Amino acid sequence: MIDLVTGKPPAATRVVVAMSGGVDSSVVAALCAEAGYETIGITLQLYDHGAALAKKGACCAGSDIHDAHRVAEAIGIPHYVLDYESLFREKVIEDFADAYARGETPIPCVRCNQTVKFRDLLDVARDLGADCLATGHYVQRLMGPAGAELHRATDTTRDQSYFLFATTQTQLDYLRFPLGGMPKTEVRAHAERFGLPVATKPDSQDICFVPNGNYADIVRKLRPEAGEAGDIVDLTGRVLGRHKGLIHYTVGQRRGIEIGGQADPLYVVRLDPEARRLVVGPREALGIAATELSEVNWLGGAVPPEGLAVEVKVRSTAAPVPARWVGGEVRFDSPEYGVAPGQACVAYAGDRVLGGGWIKRTVSALADAA
């Protein structure tokens, strides 16, 4: 039995569940209803309904809206669909294209949580008089000495805490994550127990609004200049060849550079969109000593002291590495690889998310040592 609002009986508690049409959020809705909460399901239509229907394996697509409605009917709760297409395009899709045009590596799922789901949807839940908003994210909300804390999920293979670093304390106070302490196998078992029509539905893959995972196509359509060819240069600026458009490359990439006759493999070190140049070099040139952050969100209580020892992740799949938090900058204890502007840098203390920010600028370990 799940306990969402301490000190208030479920029958007197109204819960809004963000239903994407997938198995995770469907199980959350079913668990809430089973526990006796007054449960309301809300699904956001985020992009073109017709195109979405044809996209398999996405979240918030047209077929998923239909699935969410079927689940709501099966468990006997009201279900509403809200049209957020314009807002999603402005705050997420356009931002995604702009970031690629700037030579960055964006994470649209974080922007979606930051702008649409955990801001506007949360406001809708409050307008409906709900006591909390529940989602199917794999992350834990635990109570600490100073209030609600954000922690990694117990199932480390499903943990989504990296994508929720921008959650504010006010939002965290209102949010609930019933699946944070469950492995995926248990969630699937609940779906079968409830007889949900999505019990065997595959997990969503790729970015929801990018057909077939081809980022370049959508960026080229929205920002044609990002697809223009230019020079490939080494660290000294010497021209080595031509690239087919910066949108096809990310920092750390090795394949697709297509420069022969080199003694050592070449990697993408950075992108220079103003000059339309792709800068390449040896693997050691990818080592990063520090990174400057923007839009920092801190959940670790008071403002962190200078030089606070933390563990940070610069990619969702990366293992946390030791670093120092110095103002709006993170300094790695050892050179970190695969760090790119536009990604998120998230700080942890054990399993607890302390905060994070967007990587704005990086400092090469080679330059730092010079």
Side-chain angles (χ1 to χ4, degrees), residues 38-287:
E38 181 189 353
T39 306
I40 301 172
I42 292 184
T43 302
L44 303 181
Q45 180 185 321
L46 298 181
Y47 53 100
D48 180 69
H49 200 111
L53 278 168
K55 174 71 169 75
K56 300 295 185 181
C59 77
C60 308
S63 59
D64 291 324
I65 293 172
H66 177 64
D67 286 342
H69 186 68
R70 291 168 61 210
V71 169
E73 283 189 326
I75 62 179
I77 66 169
H79 175 247
Y80 303 98
V81 178
L82 304 181
D83 184 355
Y84 273 54
E85 185 178 335
S86 296
L87 182 66
F88 184 74
R89 180 180 179 86
E90 175 190 351
K91 298 296 185 181
V92 181
I93 299 179
E94 296 284 349
D95 178 81
F96 175 84
D98 285 340
Y100 259 105
R102 292 192 301 267
E104 298 176 353
T105 306
I107 314 175
C109 295
V110 177
R111 283 297 187 198
C112 185
N113 289 328
Q114 188 178 23
T115 58
V116 179
K117 292 182 179 177
F118 285 0
R119 188 180 67 189
D120 294 86
L121 180 55
L122 192 142
D123 288 342
V124 170
R126 285 202 172 100
D127 288 343
L128 290 172
D131 294 277
C132 62
L133 172 65
T135 81
H137 288 99
Y138 284 85
V139 66
Q140 295 188 91
R141 175 189 180 274
L142 303 178
M143 295 306 294
E149 299 176 353
L150 191 64
H151 288 247
R152 283 188 281 196
T154 56
D155 185 344
T156 56
T157 65
R158 306 295 304 181
D159 175 58
Q160 294 174 296
S161 60
Y162 176 85
F163 297 102
L164 301 185
F165 83 88
T167 305
T168 67
Q169 188 63 53
T170 299
Q171 292 168 344
L172 185 59
D173 290 340
Y174 191 68
L175 288 163
R176 300 294 187 274
F177 309 104
L179 306 187
M182 299 183 194
K184 182 71 176 191
T185 52
E186 183 178 346
V187 175
R188 289 282 184 188
H190 277 305
E192 293 179 3
R193 176 173 69 85
F194 287 119
L196 300 182
V198 296
T200 59
K201 186 175 181 177
D203 293 334
S204 59
Q205 302 292 329
D206 299 322
I207 297 171
C208 65
F209 59 88
V210 181
N212 304 317
N214 192 332
Y215 307 156
D217 281 353
I218 192 167
V219 177
R220 187 186 296 108
K221 180 179 179 181
L222 295 173
R223 303 291 182 271
E225 68 278 8
E228 296 177 359
D231 290 332
I232 300 176
V233 302
D234 64 14
L235 297 176
T236 67
R238 179 170 61 97
V239 176
L240 302 177
R242 298 281 289 176
H243 65 75
K244 54 186 178 181
L246 294 179
I247 55 176
H248 298 284
Y249 306 91
T250 57
V251 172
Q253 181 175 329
R254 178 179 172 185
R255 293 183 178 180
I257 299 176
E258 300 176 353
I259 298 293
Q262 303 295 312
D264 298 308
L266 294 175
Y267 297 80
V268 175
V269 176
R270 65 179 178 273
L271 289 75
D272 182 356
E274 291 187 5
R276 296 206 308 274
R277 297 192 309 177
L278 185 71
V279 183
V280 299
R283 185 178 184 277
E284 54 265 28
L286 293 173

